[in-house]
Amino acid sequence: MKKQFFYAAMALAVMSSCSKDNDPGNGNPEESNDRAVIALGVDAPAVTANTRGTGSVGDVAGDDNKWNSQRLFIYMVDQETGLEAQEGAEGAKKAIFDNTALEFRAPKADAKDQGAIRIYNNYVEDTDNGVIQYKYYPSNGRYTFYGYHIDDATGATTDIEAKTVTGVTINGTQDLLAATTIGMAADDATNDQSLYKNIANTLTGEWADLMNYQFGARTARKGIVPILKFEHQLARLKFFVRAGSPSAAGWEHDGTAWVERQSTDGQNEPLGMQVTRITLKDMVDVVDINLAEPSSKRNGNSTASFVVCSKDPANKNKLDPAKGLIEPVVPKYPKDHAQIPTTGNDPDAKGTQVGEPVMFLPNGNIELSIDLKQYVEDTKDETQGDKVTYKYVEKLDTPLTIDQTKISEDVKEFKPGASYNVYITIYGFEKIEVTAVLTAWENGGDIDADIEDGK
């Protein structure tokens, strides 16, 4: 990704050095007043990285940790005044980065360069395309960029002078991210972790001097693109279920292969225990974000229930907690069975995932409830060859505590930016069977009685 970002930055540098008031221009880029294009980059999401929300951004480090056109709010701040950077004639100035008129989008999931933020004046969500808008640095000045992503969370109030976003109301489906500009450093050319390493190596003789001009027209003309590091402000839970008994599992092993357990009444219903709802109780639902750090904290004492959702394929794969339901999930394998696949890439080997992840502000242990149902045998008719009928039985609001002290890693408490896998073991309904045991009479001995012996 670093190389891709570097090449994109150089392309933008060529564009900016060949642009003056939107017209081609010549001259020494170090001395001319050629307008320099404002281009911004992003690092990969820091953890996992859609309500209706679109869910969590990205994933745990690896190939799946990519942006996917998420909407970003970006602000350009003058380092000298602390105010938003302005453009236009006196008396008619407006913010260069006007988030009401512009749409900032993270890279597409299939973008060759996962580093470049796209700026649109007209974005068409259905096609993930639009009209790119170019913006230019003022001829002087240094600027810092701040950004955040809140999906469709409501109630947010942005105060860029205070570098805060307050009153963000969440429901468990939004992934809140906040970012400030990563600064250039003296050791960027030798730091393997630096996203500026490649460009720093091409500007070895100038790097120390250019550090005094970050970020503005001069650094832009040298191909230096400010990078924003977006950090997750919430923690994430991914839920999985496992069958604690064979009767809860959706599959059974017949000695040679795994086969699905289905009813014999012609309905072909799954016989395993189904999870139909998971509700997280009393979750923090209003958050304030500090963009400068970045960090987040609770706003007030308000709480709400969060529900695990499944994506709606008919509605742009968005999540809707108002529906409050997930696609029923049955754990595939009985837990600890000797034949569970240990090789390959079977996603159900450790547990079967339930819905989409839930994002939350860490606030201690989590109390939740689980709704279960199972298709079980109801009657067996001996007059019709032991014909079996079935019915659904439900068990609602089964309580469970997620104890953060049981986290497998060293830190025994939930923390922002961390993703947790929660494996819940469930058990199938068991038939109530009573056996009647006939107790034999005890031999108490014989008694002889003679009528003539009577009194």
Side-chain angles (χ1 to χ4, degrees), residues 327-442:
E327 294 294 328
V329 174
V330 179
K332 185 173 182 179
Y333 302 117
K335 180 184 175 184
D336 299 328
H337 193 284
Q339 298 299 324
I340 295 177
T342 56
T343 60
N345 191 29
D346 191 328
D348 297 284
K350 292 184 64 177
T352 302
Q353 185 170 347
V354 182
E356 294 296 311
V358 173
M359 276 67 66
F360 67 100
L361 187 73
N363 190 41
N365 293 340
I366 297 175
E367 304 295 329
L368 56 81
S369 68
I370 305 174
D371 291 357
L372 305 167
K373 74 175 183 179
Q374 188 171 19
Y375 204 55
V376 297
E377 294 181 3
D378 184 30
T379 66
K380 182 167 69 173
D381 191 339
E382 295 178 335
T383 68
Q384 295 190 43
D386 292 342
K387 178 182 178 181
V388 176
T389 65
Y390 295 80
K391 67 177 181 180
Y392 269 111
V393 176
E394 289 187 306
K395 185 177 182 182
L396 306 179
D397 296 322
T398 304
L400 180 65
T401 299
I402 302 178
D403 187 341
Q404 62 182 355
T405 65
K406 294 183 178 180
I407 296 172
S408 60
E409 300 298 322
D410 292 339
V411 179
K412 301 298 182 181
E413 62 180 5
F414 295 122
K415 63 178 183 178
S419 181
Y420 304 90
N421 295 329
V422 179
Y423 294 93
I424 300 173
T425 301
I426 59 177
Y427 300 86
F429 294 122
E430 301 294 341
K431 294 177 184 175
I432 300 174
E433 296 183 324
V434 178
T435 300
V437 178
L438 180 62
T439 304
W441 292 104
E442 181 182 348

Side-chain angles (χ1 to χ4, degrees), residues 179-258:
T180 187
T181 318
I182 299 176
M184 297 156 54
D187 66 346
D188 281 332
T190 58
N191 181 0
D192 289 338
Q193 302 305 313
S194 173
L195 293 175
Y196 298 115
K197 180 177 180 179
N198 288 332
I199 189 69
N201 273 306
T202 68
L203 300 171
T204 303
E206 304 171 80
W207 193 254
D209 183 54
L210 287 169
M211 285 179 57
N212 297 319
Y213 297 93
Q214 55 182 314
F215 290 96
R218 183 165 180 173
T219 52
R221 282 192 290 269
K222 290 295 183 178
I224 301 169
V225 177
I227 303 172
L228 280 74
K229 184 179 182 65
F230 280 82
E231 299 183 25
H232 295 269
Q233 300 302 294
L234 305 178
R236 185 179 81 161
L237 297 178
K238 293 177 72 173
F239 289 96
F240 300 82
V241 288
R242 299 190 287 203
S245 60
S247 62
W251 293 64
E252 63 184 354
H253 200 272
D254 65 4
T256 58
W258 286 100

Side-chain angles (χ1 to χ4, degrees), residues 306-319:
F306 292 174
V307 295
V308 179
C309 300
S310 292
K311 286 187 176 181
D312 181 359
N315 194 11
K316 294 187 68 63
N317 287 328
K318 292 188 176 181
L319 311 178

Side-chain angles (χ1 to χ4, degrees), residues 30-89:
E30 294 187 21
E31 299 176 356
S32 74
N33 289 322
D34 288 354
R35 305 293 299 279
V37 173
I38 300 173
L40 298 176
V42 286
D43 191 7
V47 61
T48 72
N50 246 310
T51 151
R52 288 220 324 193
T54 50
S56 62
V57 181
D59 212 329
V60 175
D63 291 340
D64 293 330
N65 189 37
K66 294 181 179 180
W67 294 96
N68 190 20
S69 297
Q70 286 82 10
R71 183 176 184 180
L72 308 175
F73 291 85
I74 307 291
Y75 295 87
M76 180 180 180
V77 177
D78 189 312
Q79 292 183 23
E80 182 177 347
T81 66
L83 303 176
E84 289 189 66
Q86 304 287 305
E87 65 179 349

Side-chain angles (χ1 to χ4, degrees), residues 447-455:
I447 300 175
D448 292 330
D450 193 317
I451 190 71
E452 292 183 350
D453 291 337
K455 187 175 178 179

